[in-house]
Amino acid sequence: MKVVIAGFGTAGTARLAAYAGVEGADVVAVVDPSPARRAAARSAGVSAYPELAALPGSDRPDVVDVCAPPSYHRLLTMAALDAGSHVICEKPVAFRTADALAMAAASRRAGRLLYPAHNYLFSPMMGQLRECAATAGTPQALRIRIERQTHAKGSRGYQPDWRRDLRIAGGGILLDHGSHCVYMATRLFGEPPAKVSALARWQTEGLDEAMNVRLHFPHGTADIELSWVGERRTNLYALTGPAGSVTITDGTARLIGPGGTEERALESPTGSSTHEEWFAGLFADFTAVLCRPAAWERPLADVISTTEIIEAAYTSARLHGEPVPIREG
């Protein structure tokens, strides 16, 4: 399977390393507008071009992996789909629900798969949360707390602080790390929430640097606490069901169930921000879905749902916490 990586910053560089361990995937080229980043790709042994349209016929990809900053996601995804490639797109796939719907429509029209790179679904934390949900019953409460002292830095060859530039990032910590939390919650509860409420701490330019979000599901709630202005780098995931619970604090999981209490060590997510070690699971799922066109609606629903929930949270935060309903369907 021929793969082209679109965007060779921090995420794209990590993805190239991750593909080296994936059987059946051959990265044939990198696309990046920066001459310095193209030179870095060539130094890594990969052909590089300034745009997708410049790819020669020999490097026409089966898959375009969009790793560019968020403001380029729609443009690159649409171009790749129109050219006949399947697409893996970094989160957040879209800023606005209208964009997510347009990208989904383009996927259906082209007959090509649009798959979100929701890598936290393949993390050790999600594995423990899934196990708890399976044994403890329908989730009643989920709490996720992500504390950082600042934002993740981008490539020095581009713009290291692009995550704090609304023109490029589209939003702050909610769009950045909060995307992971939203799709994890909807997958654990098995459906989108009925409504969303949120409160934010805004930077002077209107960028959210801290956000508390509540997702109101029919049978429970998910509370997501996010901060780029915390005292340390740490993570907490806690899920409760009728017959048990799990609490994950960085690299330790504590499970409580009918059989008693158990503590487990797991790989902490507080190290690298790219987590390329989770990519094999993501790519295996992508290829499994790719082989079953009838299953392509699932990732499209994930893209649309995640975008809509985040958009609703921003609306609620601007309304000082007033709940915002999520549309049905």
Side-chain angles (χ1 to χ4, degrees):
M1 186 182 298
K2 290 184 178 181
V3 179
V4 165
I5 296 174
F8 200 59
T10 302
T13 303
R15 195 81 99 235
L16 178 61
Y19 275 113
V22 174
E23 187 176 352
D26 179 21
V27 178
V28 296
V30 159
V31 169
D32 197 294
S34 163
R37 299 314 302 160
R38 294 199 300 275
R42 293 185 186 109
S43 296
V46 184
S47 300
Y49 305 92
E51 58 184 358
L52 287 171
L55 289 168
S58 59
D59 285 344
R60 290 294 175 185
D62 302 301
V63 180
V64 173
D65 191 342
V66 177
C67 296
S71 61
Y72 302 100
H73 288 181
R74 175 171 175 164
L75 178 65
L76 288 167
T77 294
M78 294 295 208
L81 292 170
D82 287 346
S85 298
H86 303 288
V87 175
I88 299 172
C89 185
E90 263 297 329
K91 61 78 194 166
V93 176
F95 299 161
R96 294 168 289 272
T97 305
D99 289 337
L101 290 168
M103 293 162 81
S107 169
R108 297 185 186 106
R109 186 169 58 248
R112 292 295 182 265
L113 173 61
L114 170 56
Y115 183 96
H118 288 172
N119 61 335
Y120 270 65
L121 294 178
F122 307 93
S123 68
M125 304 82 67
M126 190 64 179
Q128 296 296 319
L129 293 166
R130 287 182 193 270
E131 181 180 334
C132 178
T135 59
T138 303
Q140 297 170 324
L142 173 68
R143 182 187 177 204
I144 302 177
R145 187 184 73 232
I146 306 297
E147 186 176 345
R148 300 287 185 268
Q149 292 170 303
T150 187
H151 58 286
K153 298 292 185 178
S155 169
R156 286 182 296 176
Y158 173 60
Q159 184 176 327
D161 297 321
W162 65 257
R163 282 181 170 83
R164 289 183 184 263
D165 186 334
L166 279 171
R167 296 167 300 174
I168 300 172
I173 192 170
L174 177 60
L175 258 175
D176 186 43
H177 201 108
S179 297
H180 296 305
C181 305
V182 166
Y183 66 68
M184 290 172 76
T186 55
R187 188 62 63 92
L188 288 164
F189 279 86
E191 59 186 334
K195 57 184 178 179
V196 179
S197 53
L199 293 171
R201 169 174 166 171
W202 306 97
Q203 285 188 196
T204 53
E205 65 267 37
L207 196 79
D208 50 301
E209 60 183 8
M211 181 86 80
N212 288 349
V213 181
R214 170 164 281 194
L215 309 183
H216 304 259
F217 293 93
H219 304 291
T221 57
D223 288 298
I224 301 169
E225 304 162 34
L226 306 160
S227 179
W228 273 342
V229 288
E231 296 181 356
R232 57 185 179 135
R233 181 183 176 93
T234 187
N235 306 281
L236 171 74
Y237 301 85
L239 182 70
T240 302
S245 66
V246 62
T247 301
I248 305 165
T249 306
D250 296 330
T252 302
R254 186 170 188 264
L255 296 90
I256 300 175
T261 301
E262 178 187 357
E263 283 202 359
R264 298 176 184 173
L266 69 158
E267 177 195 357
S268 172
T270 56
S272 167
S273 63
T274 54
H275 305 298
E276 52 263 39
E277 67 275 13
W278 304 342
F279 185 68
L282 184 148
F283 194 77
D285 186 66
F286 165 75
T287 55
V289 174
L290 184 60
C291 293
R292 297 183 294 115
W296 292 6
E297 284 299 318
R298 187 202 77 188
L300 293 183
D302 286 347
V303 169
I304 295 166
S305 172
T306 301
T307 308
E308 183 174 20
I309 291 166
I310 289 172
E311 191 171 38
Y314 277 121
T315 300
S316 175
R318 293 186 180 100
L319 296 172
H320 307 290
E322 181 178 329
V324 174
I326 299 296
R327 68 184 178 90
E328 295 184 6

